[in-house]
Amino acid sequence: MKKKIIPGGLMLVAALLATGAQAQAAPAKPTIVLVHGAFADSSSWNRVIPILQQDGYTVVAAPNPLRGVRADADVIAEVVKTINGPVVLVGHSYGGSVISEAAEGLTNVKGLVYVAAFAPDTGETALGLTGRFPGSTLGSALAPPVRLTTGGNDLYILQARFHDQFAADVRAPEARLMAAGQRPIAEAALSETSTAPAWKHLPSWFVYGDGDRNIPPVAMGFMAERAKSRKTVVVKGASHVVMVSHAPEVARLIEQAATAP
């Protein structure tokens, strides 16, 4: 039987096709979905996003309506459902309550990262967790509630108090911009109970600052330990917006979650 001889050029093409097939078969990096918290918006991730993108990650800074845990979780869940492939959900502050609820039942979420965030158990609320531990000064920094025509109140932080309360380790000019652009949270959202927290069966990672004046650091340590956090990073002196003041540390932890088996 004669051997089939493949010309050199065809051999090269065949090798390139094989290499391309292997590349296509390689698992894609997870998409990182970032969820902001109360008194902030998606721009609060602006220092973390370029780091993740430079390292090859697709990033979505999802809109968080800040109206209520279940309603907000539904919005985030719909965003995640549009993404093909694995997802790492990252929540800041109240956004932690939202991602805990949103991830439940979504098979493509591979991990949860809590950035100075709540990780409530069933029946718990953000307000209740804050009050359970000493250290928060948020209550005295709030502006008078804004009454909504649809019922209930919106909450803001007084602009004059925003820097010290929310972003003490951020330069004053930037903190003033953040204060002016802050998004209010519905008061009822902070008192809405969690129903099915996904951290009970999904791996989680935590990062927060020991200078946080919104959520007591001891409360975040308690939640991290309870969730059996794979890694907890406590940034010395960092404020509630640790992702603004210490973006590299936050991005590094997110990438560790993304590459974890």
Side-chain angles (χ1 to χ4, degrees), residues 55-232:
D55 292 340
Y57 290 94
T58 298
V59 183
V60 177
N64 185 0
L66 305 176
R67 299 296 89 190
V69 176
R70 184 65 260 168
D72 297 339
D74 287 343
V75 171
I76 300 304
E78 290 303 317
V79 172
V80 174
K81 288 175 185 176
T82 69
I83 298 171
N84 293 322
V87 169
V88 172
L89 269 176
V90 183
H92 171 240
S93 192
Y94 164 80
S97 298
V98 175
I99 66 168
S100 298
E101 200 89 359
E104 190 64 22
L106 297 181
T107 57
N108 61 332
V109 176
K110 66 166 290 183
L112 305 168
V113 182
Y114 293 86
V115 179
F118 293 105
D121 200 349
T122 304
E124 291 180 340
T125 68
L127 193 61
L129 283 164
T130 301
R132 189 186 304 179
F133 302 89
S136 176
T137 56
L138 177 61
S140 63
L142 292 175
V146 176
R147 187 70 181 169
L148 301 173
T149 57
T150 53
N153 297 316
D154 261 354
L155 300 179
Y156 293 83
I157 295 176
L158 288 163
Q159 290 197 27
R161 295 284 304 277
F162 193 95
H163 189 190
D164 288 342
Q165 177 61 41
F166 200 74
D169 58 347
V170 174
R171 293 178 60 191
E174 185 174 4
R176 285 195 293 270
L177 285 174
M178 295 168 67
Q182 65 176 296
R183 290 190 55 201
I185 186 167
E187 187 174 21
L190 299 177
S191 300
E192 184 176 340
T193 57
S194 176
T195 60
W199 54 259
K200 288 191 170 184
H201 59 82
L202 286 174
S204 60
W205 290 257
F206 285 70
V207 56
Y208 59 91
D210 66 4
D212 197 312
R213 297 173 185 172
N214 269 37
I215 306 176
V218 65
M220 290 183 283
F222 162 77
M223 289 183 280
E225 184 176 358
R226 180 175 64 180
K228 298 180 173 57
S229 170
R230 288 199 179 182
K231 183 174 183 179
T232 300

Side-chain angles (χ1 to χ4, degrees), residues 16-29 85-86:
L16 289 173
L17 288 173
T19 302
Q22 290 174 359
Q24 288 178 358
K29 287 187 174 184

